[in-house]
Amino acid sequence: MSAKDLASVYDTIMSIPGVNEQVKVDLKISGKSALLLLHQAIRRAVN
């Protein structure tokens, strides 16, 4: 998928009615999983 196609899909998703409404997400994960997730996020941001 090209960057142009991906941008088009993203724009389409963002224009769906109700996308600006608040969503309540209840995430209950262990501390170990949270640290692993944080590690992956930092690793991707650095790269």
Side-chain angles (χ1 to χ4, degrees):
M1 190 176 248
S2 71
K4 184 177 179 181
D5 293 335
L6 191 58
S8 177
V9 170
Y10 181 75
D11 287 340
T12 301
I13 291 171
M14 294 307 288
S15 66
I16 294 173
V19 79
N20 288 328
E21 294 178 13
Q22 290 185 352
V23 176
K24 187 175 184 179
V25 178
D26 186 15
L27 292 176
K28 293 183 181 179
I29 59 175
S30 69
K32 183 178 180 181
S33 294
L35 287 175
L36 290 172
L37 182 64
L38 179 60
H39 174 264
Q40 287 296 324
I42 292 171
R43 184 185 219 177
R44 288 182 185 214
V46 170
N47 292 335

